[in-house]
């Protein structure tokens, strides 16, 4: 497969066999982000755990210091004062049965995150087969099943991200946009890596942080030297 010209040029800008300190790696990633749009900068962390084992799962959420650069649309499934609180907190859509029905009958997915109260989970669970594959199913561990819907909405709007292992023991998380610049991206990088290190399972043996890579949406991956985990 022939590489796109800009991508091929980016590969020549650094040594792919090397690992760079965070300052240099961030500089390379920003310089090789040559698309005409504001590319997302992503962090990929390979961990020394077995994702098939329940006691070696790594998952959590945090609000990045500088957000993600993307404003997420939030749907809150709640009733009464909780619905009112969600609306006041800035939720894009708020409702109950009518929202579930809209998703079921109209295949409506004009939202990025669904938040609900525990008492509504029975209703939401009916469409779990639809929400699950899209990564939209509310979960207490990610803070999207909660009585404090107002706080949950504000955190999502402020730039809350969820990190979790995939089947190959890698975590993939956006940490901002190219337009953020090196300083803000570095702050977000450090916040996320600190969270991942703190989330190390007790059952994990040997080297925990296997590799760390930064990349832009359309750019190549740059390995980062990281020795704290």
């Amino acid at each position: 497969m022939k590489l796109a010209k800009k991508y091929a040029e980016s590969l020549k800008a650094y040594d792919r066999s090397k690992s760079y300190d965070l300052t240099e790696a961030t500089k390379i990633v920003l310089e090789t982000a040559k698309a005409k749009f504001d590319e997302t900068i992503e962090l990929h962390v390979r961990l020394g755990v077995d994702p098939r084992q329940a006691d070696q799962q790594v998952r959590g959420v945090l609000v990045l210091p500088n957000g993600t650069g993307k404003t997420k649309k939030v749907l809150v499934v709640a009733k009464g004062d909780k619905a009112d609180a969600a609306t006041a907190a800035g939720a894009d859509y708020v409702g109950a049965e009518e929202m579930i029905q809209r998703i079921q009958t109209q295949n409506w997915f004009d939202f990025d995150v669904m938040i609900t109260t525990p008492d509504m989970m029975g209703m939401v669970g009916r469409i779990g087969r639809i929400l699950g594959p899209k990564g939209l199913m509310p979960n207490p561990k990610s803070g999207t099943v909660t009585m404090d819907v107002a706080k949950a909405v504000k955190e999502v709007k402020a730039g809350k991200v969820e990190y979790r292992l995939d089947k190959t023991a890698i975590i993939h998380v956006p940490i901002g946009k190219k337009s953020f610049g090196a300083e803000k991206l570095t702050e977000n990088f450090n916040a996320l890596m600190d969270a991942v290190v703190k989330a190390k399972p007790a059952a994990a043996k040997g080297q925990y942080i296997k590799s760390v890579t930064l990349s832009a949406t359309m750019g190549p991956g740059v390995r980062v030297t990281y020795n704290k985990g």
Side-chain angles (χ1 to χ4, degrees):
M1 185 179 75
K2 187 176 180 181
L3 291 171
K5 186 177 179 181
K6 288 182 180 179
Y7 188 89
E9 288 175 357
S10 295
L11 290 177
K12 296 176 184 178
Y14 69 105
D15 186 346
R16 281 194 291 169
S17 67
K18 283 182 59 178
S19 182
Y20 296 84
D21 65 46
L22 179 56
T23 300
E24 186 65 18
T26 304
K27 180 182 177 184
I28 294 169
V29 167
L30 291 176
E31 288 177 349
T32 55
K34 297 181 178 180
K36 293 181 180 179
F37 61 91
D38 191 9
E39 294 184 59
T40 295
I41 308 302
E42 297 178 350
L43 175 60
H44 312 274
V45 188
R46 183 184 295 276
L47 300 178
V49 297
D50 185 350
R52 296 169 298 179
Q53 304 301 318
D55 61 354
Q56 295 188 42
Q57 293 301 307
V58 179
R59 179 178 185 173
V61 294
L62 81 155
V63 177
L64 293 173
N66 301 297
T68 63
K70 179 184 178 182
T71 302
K72 292 185 176 181
K73 288 187 178 180
V74 179
L75 163 63
V76 176
V77 178
K79 291 182 175 180
D81 60 344
K82 296 300 179 185
D84 294 339
T87 300
D92 299 274
Y93 307 102
V94 180
E97 290 90 349
E98 72 277 16
M99 289 299 179
I100 302 299
Q101 188 174 13
R102 188 175 179 186
I103 292 169
Q104 275 183 313
T105 61
Q106 299 178 29
N107 199 34
W108 175 74
F109 290 102
D110 187 29
F111 57 93
D112 302 296
V113 178
M114 180 190 283
I115 295 167
T116 188
T117 49
D119 58 299
M120 300 298 288
M121 272 303 288
M123 183 188 301
V124 173
R126 295 178 205 159
I127 57 170
R129 289 183 180 180
I130 303 173
L131 298 173
K134 295 181 178 293
L136 294 170
M137 187 67 183
N139 188 299
K141 290 183 179 178
S142 64
T144 48
V145 179
T146 176
M147 290 301 288
D148 195 347
V149 290
K151 179 184 176 184
V153 169
K154 289 174 183 177
E155 286 183 343
V156 170
K157 292 291 186 179
K160 185 173 80 170
V161 294
E162 179 179 7
Y163 58 89
R164 61 188 300 182
L165 284 179
D166 67 9
K167 293 178 181 178
T168 60
I170 300 176
I171 288 171
H172 310 271
V173 188
I175 60 166
K177 296 285 188 177
K178 178 185 177 182
S179 59
F180 278 26
E183 185 177 343
K184 288 184 177 181
L185 289 171
T186 297
E187 288 176 357
N188 280 357
F189 174 98
N190 287 330
L192 186 61
M193 288 305 301
D194 285 348
V196 171
V197 170
K198 288 177 183 176
K200 180 181 179 179
K205 306 298 181 185
Q207 185 180 356
Y208 178 53
I209 305 292
K210 290 284 190 179
S211 68
V212 178
T213 304
L214 279 175
S215 67
T217 305
M218 304 296 287
V222 180
R223 286 199 294 164
V224 183
T225 302
Y226 192 84
N227 300 313
K228 298 179 184 178

